[in-house]
Amino acid sequence: MIHRIPAIFVAIPLCVLAGTPAAAHEGHTETVEELVVYGRAEERIGIAHSASEGLVGYDDLELPPLLRVGELVESVPGMVATQHSGSGKANQYFLRGFNLDHGTDFSASAEGVPLNMRTHGHGQGYLDLNFLIPELVETTVFRKGPYAASVGDFSSAGSTEFAFRERLNETTLGGSLGGNEYFRGVAAGSVEIGNGVLTAALDGSRYAGPWVLDEALSQSKVFASYAFGLGAARAKIAVQGYEGEWNSTDQVPRRAVESGQIDALGFIDPDLGGNSKRYALTGALNFDRWRLSGYMLDYEMSLFSNFTYFLDNPVDGDEFEQRDRRQIYGLNLDGAFEKSLAGRPLTLSGGGSFRFDDIGEVGLYRSAGRERIGTVRQDAVDEWSLGVWGEAEIRPAERLRVIAGLRADHFDWRVTADEARNSGAGDDRVFSPKLSIAYRLQDGLEGYLNWGRGFHSNDVRGATITVDPVSGDAADAVPVIVNSDGAEIGLRIERGRDFNVSLALFRLDLDSELVFVGDAGATEPNDATRRRGFEAAAFWQASEWLAVNAAYTVTDAEFLRDQGGGREIPGAVESTFTLGLNAAWVNGFAASARLRYLGEAALVEDNSMRAAASLLLNTGLTYRRDQLELRLDVFNLLDSDDNDISYFYASRLPGEVPGGVEDLHFHPLEPRTARVGIVWHWR
């Protein structure tokens, strides 16, 4: 049997790593050629608009082990996904000196459906990727900085767009078992029906976790799509369903661990956790030069948290519930056309998007033992937006490309609050120009200059507020739209598909980081910010069987007060580094190792308290022979006891003085654990 090993970036294709499958036909074995998505080994010179954008293919995503689904975004160079709570909650994301919380200033979409939640019960831009079935993700396109006119809200630091597989080459049935009572079962396949193809998948998982408190994670997912020809178009209809519930071990105070009151994997409040549901119906029509898509979502989430324990309520505790229930409707239209201007090639692209969030309940409640004992704030919100964009790329000379773009977004909202004085309505709009220049210095070497204006929206409840729901004092309203200005100088080096390097110096200024704090039910104003940094990403196909990739980012982030600067942004990680080694042999074995370094960060503005760096190594080993595939994943191979994330604030444990104690609160990396899986493939 002939084996073929392609050059790739993050992962060697699993179908190739395990050997090209064979199909029995009339009593003999026939070698079946696999379609390989090369992903980041693709040559991007002459195509990319910046040094910091790229494409990740399905085969780049398949081999590296995933402890949590949200770690799919770590395929974006320099991106890190951590967790400070239960696995069913959205991850905590870091990119280019941003602690993005659960999504603010980093946008994601899937098949044209925006995934960030506006005016959300837990936080603005809440980005929960738990509904994804990794085996169905075919590609993800990533961009950094506000330079692309096609992306708008939440994309100042970066964005990613997931696309799902229309057809699976094989039907699979598999299961995984691991430490801490981990179990996952998945079945997926495609079948031709009429003039189209039906693709479906089922995914279920259970996990107790390493924590003293049983995480009791339960997740169920279903997906089905039907793609077919419809006149001159390719049509696709898909349905998705996700339900999850979990218990949470949130960050814990260092003093409680050092005193022996709890273990580092222990808890203070045993009643934390939540549940979430997401159902979606999507449709798309793909023509030769343009695409029309639409979506309808039904979403619910209830989240119980307690970060300060008995600081505010010494009797019942400070537990609270955050609730979000909404339907989302949207339409997207975009296209591109090839023209000429004065005899030079000209590409015109553009489109528009409409989104309506019908939020029936977004609320914050005091609770004890997951039972409501009071209402801090409860609202119903209607929020809609319309965005239009256009972009022109012209080649004034053979080696020169100039890309100019403009985006316009309009927002409209109506808030109906339980406190009538916090109700109201309004609208706002923003224009975002973009300019990129790419010049091919020589074959295999291209330079880039980028500038763009972007924005993120704030929670619209902050625009109508007049009374603080906690203190009852007068509260100042805040703007819904916050502008950002970004600039970048980049260089891309390519030597065919075997070697590429991208380098970028970047700067990003935000007018303000005003946010609505879901944990308090009020707005918290911050000053303007500036981030400056350097980023490098590299890929090397070292040999026929070994691929190496690496990414490094260093960032200086600070608040700007009268442009004087000097105050640190809490949680802004100063540097990140990742290293991936992926190997494949013709005997069906393949291996992957990924090292992730998350650097130090200031935890308070005067830099007097800092979060320590963390180091994490995950590894995977697979073996495939014919239809049978075996897999072993080991997470945190070095059994590091570093922290996944840290915070510094005041909390109060039972018996402590009123006013509490300022302390480091941390959530450790999960200790070393292993998972084994078996998958049966057939055609």
Side-chain angles (χ1 to χ4, degrees):
M1 185 180 296
I2 297 175
H3 297 261
R4 181 167 58 90
I5 303 178
I8 54 95
F9 187 81
V10 174
I12 307 295
L14 185 59
C15 57
V16 178
L17 295 174
T20 305
H25 179 64
E26 296 182 357
H28 68 276
T29 300
E30 176 183 319
T31 300
V32 178
E33 184 71 8
E34 292 289 341
L35 173 65
V36 177
V37 180
Y38 288 92
R40 278 179 280 181
E42 284 191 343
E43 296 171 280
R44 305 291 296 176
I45 286 180
I47 301 173
H49 293 181
S50 73
S52 57
E53 69 175 55
L55 168 72
V56 183
Y58 169 77
D59 295 303
D60 297 325
L61 300 168
E62 191 175 19
L63 185 61
L66 295 175
L67 182 66
R68 308 180 186 98
V69 176
E71 292 170 6
L72 282 169
V73 298
E74 292 192 338
S75 60
V76 177
M79 188 89 178
V80 173
T82 68
Q83 184 58 273
H84 77 99
S85 188
S87 301
K89 186 180 176 183
N91 288 78
Q92 201 91 4
Y93 306 104
F94 296 85
L95 178 69
R96 285 191 166 186
F98 277 86
N99 178 346
L100 297 159
D101 194 33
H102 299 294
T104 306
D105 291 305
F106 182 82
S107 71
S109 64
E111 300 279 281
V113 180
L115 303 181
N116 299 75
M117 294 289 180
R118 297 169 175 166
T119 311
H120 187 267
H122 183 63
Q124 181 71 349
Y126 188 76
L127 177 59
D128 185 359
L129 300 178
N130 276 291
F131 75 94
L132 291 173
I133 300 176
E135 289 82 357
L136 297 180
V137 178
E138 183 173 38
T139 61
T140 176
V141 174
F142 64 86
R143 301 179 179 89
K144 299 177 191 173
Y147 316 126
S150 58
V151 291
D153 201 4
F154 305 120
S155 60
S156 293
S159 66
T160 189
E161 303 167 20
F162 295 101
F164 298 144
R165 291 164 64 89
E166 180 179 297
R167 179 193 303 269
L168 298 171
N169 296 327
E170 299 176 310
T171 298
T172 60
L173 177 63
S176 302
L177 296 172
N180 305 310
E181 301 179 32
Y182 174 81
F183 168 77
R184 179 183 182 232
V186 61
S190 298
V191 60
E192 292 188 7
I193 299 177
N195 70 334
V197 57
L198 174 67
T199 297
L202 293 172
D203 183 346
S205 60
R206 303 289 184 272
Y207 188 42
W211 320 105
V212 175
L213 177 68
D214 187 347
E215 187 169 346
L217 174 69
S218 173
Q219 293 180 317
S220 301
K221 311 175 191 180
V222 60
F223 175 90
S225 69
Y226 183 62
F228 57 98
L230 184 64
R234 184 70 174 172
K236 185 177 181 180
I237 300 174
V239 294
Q240 287 178 282
Y242 166 75
E243 293 189 5
E245 58 181 355
W246 64 94
N247 296 325
S248 292
T249 296
D250 290 348
Q251 64 266 19
V252 294
R254 178 174 57 185
R255 63 188 184 278
V257 176
E258 292 180 344
S259 69
Q261 178 180 345
I262 62 171
D263 185 84
L265 302 177
F267 61 92
I268 300 297
D269 189 333
D271 298 316
L272 310 184
N275 59 78
S276 182
K277 299 178 182 179
R278 182 186 187 275
Y279 303 96
L281 172 64
T282 63
L285 284 172
N286 289 278
F287 293 84
D288 183 40
R289 296 182 180 275
W290 59 278
R291 181 176 190 267
L292 173 67
S293 64
Y295 55 88
M296 296 187 296
L297 271 70
D298 186 78
Y299 171 85
E300 290 187 35
M301 187 205 73
S302 291
L303 183 66
F304 296 88
S305 305
N306 185 352
F307 303 131
T308 53
Y309 317 123
F310 293 92
L311 181 65
D312 298 321
N313 188 334
V315 178
D316 296 314
D318 299 346
E319 181 187 304
F320 57 90
E321 177 191 2
Q322 292 164 316
R323 172 71 173 164
D324 194 285
R325 177 175 54 83
R326 71 179 68 197
Q327 288 78 44
I328 307 175
Y329 309 91
L331 287 171
N332 303 303
L333 175 67
D334 57 78
F337 304 89
E338 301 293 334
K339 302 289 183 179
S340 63
L341 180 65
R344 304 304 303 174
L346 172 67
T347 301
L348 298 175
S349 56
S353 60
F354 169 80
R355 172 175 171 175
F356 173 58
D357 287 60
D358 180 7
I359 308 173
E361 179 187 5
V362 55
L364 176 65
Y365 308 94
R366 299 182 185 92
S367 62
R370 297 200 185 187
E371 296 292 334
R372 294 179 185 176
I373 58 175
T375 298
V376 178
R377 182 164 184 177
Q378 179 176 300
D379 302 85
V381 179
D382 292 337
E383 182 175 0
W384 68 270
S385 65
L386 178 66
V388 294
W389 64 276
E391 204 167 68
E393 177 179 338
I394 189 169
R395 297 175 181 261
E398 184 65 28
R399 293 178 176 268
L400 177 65
R401 293 179 293 129
V402 178
I403 305 98
L406 178 64
R407 182 180 182 93
D409 290 271
H410 177 87
F411 288 77
D412 200 295
W413 60 87
R414 179 176 298 276
V415 176
T416 304
D418 58 341
E419 169 56 70
R421 289 176 293 176
N422 286 334
S423 298
D427 62 85
D428 203 352
R429 61 207 52 84
V430 60
F431 296 92
S432 307
K434 325 277 185 176
L435 180 65
S436 298
I437 300 173
Y439 184 74
R440 193 186 312 173
L441 302 166
Q442 62 184 52
D443 290 346
L445 181 64
E446 190 167 59
Y448 306 88
L449 293 174
N450 306 96
W451 174 85
R453 175 159 292 174
F455 72 96
H456 75 242
S457 64
N458 278 332
D459 191 309
V460 298
R461 290 175 293 175
T464 63
I465 193 171
T466 60
V467 177
D468 187 299
V470 177
S471 66
D473 298 333
D476 295 327
V478 299
V480 166
I481 294 175
V482 175
N483 289 317
S484 64
D485 287 282
E488 186 173 304
I489 301 174
L491 191 68
R492 187 183 299 268
I493 305 167
E494 293 178 352
R495 295 295 181 264
R497 290 180 177 270
D498 291 338
F499 179 80
N500 63 63
V501 173
S502 63
L503 308 171
L505 289 169
F506 61 88
R507 170 174 161 170
L508 183 65
D509 292 355
L510 269 70
D511 287 352
S512 169
E513 296 200 8
L514 291 169
V515 295
F516 186 94
V517 182
D519 299 343
T523 53
E524 180 179 285
N526 281 316
D527 295 328
T529 59
R530 172 169 295 162
R531 290 168 173 84
R532 293 170 291 190
F534 168 75
E535 186 174 65
F539 159 75
W540 177 35
Q541 185 73 43
S543 69
E544 191 178 60
W545 56 271
L546 177 64
V548 183
N549 67 85
Y552 172 73
T553 304
V554 60
T555 310
D556 176 52
E558 62 181 359
F559 282 113
L560 300 180
R561 176 176 289 168
D562 299 326
Q563 304 301 310
R567 293 188 296 130
E568 301 292 329
I569 303 175
V573 171
E574 296 169 355
S575 63
T576 63
F577 174 72
T578 59
L579 175 65
L581 302 175
N582 303 282
W585 297 272
V586 295
N587 59 5
F589 280 97
S592 174
R594 186 175 188 275
L595 183 72
R596 187 200 82 189
Y597 170 82
L598 186 65
E600 296 183 358
L603 293 179
V604 293
E605 293 182 11
D606 65 6
N607 205 21
S608 59
M609 289 295 301
R610 294 178 59 81
S614 67
L615 190 67
L616 179 67
L617 176 61
N618 294 334
T619 59
L621 177 67
T622 64
Y623 174 72
R624 178 167 173 179
R625 185 175 181 85
D626 298 325
Q627 286 85 12
L628 183 64
E629 175 191 340
L630 303 175
R631 179 167 186 138
L632 170 65
D633 292 329
V634 181
F635 300 94
N636 194 2
L637 180 67
L638 303 178
D639 203 22
S640 168
D641 59 0
D642 292 338
N643 296 332
D644 220 5
I645 195 167
S646 301
Y647 306 90
F648 186 78
Y649 58 85
S651 64
R652 184 188 184 195
L653 300 173
E656 291 185 333
V657 297
V661 177
E662 290 193 330
D663 197 4
L664 181 78
H665 296 74
F666 67 92
H667 192 265
L669 292 168
E670 295 199 17
R672 180 171 53 223
T673 186
R675 296 173 182 176
V676 295
I678 182 170
V679 181
W680 187 261
H681 303 258
W682 69 92
R683 290 183 182 271

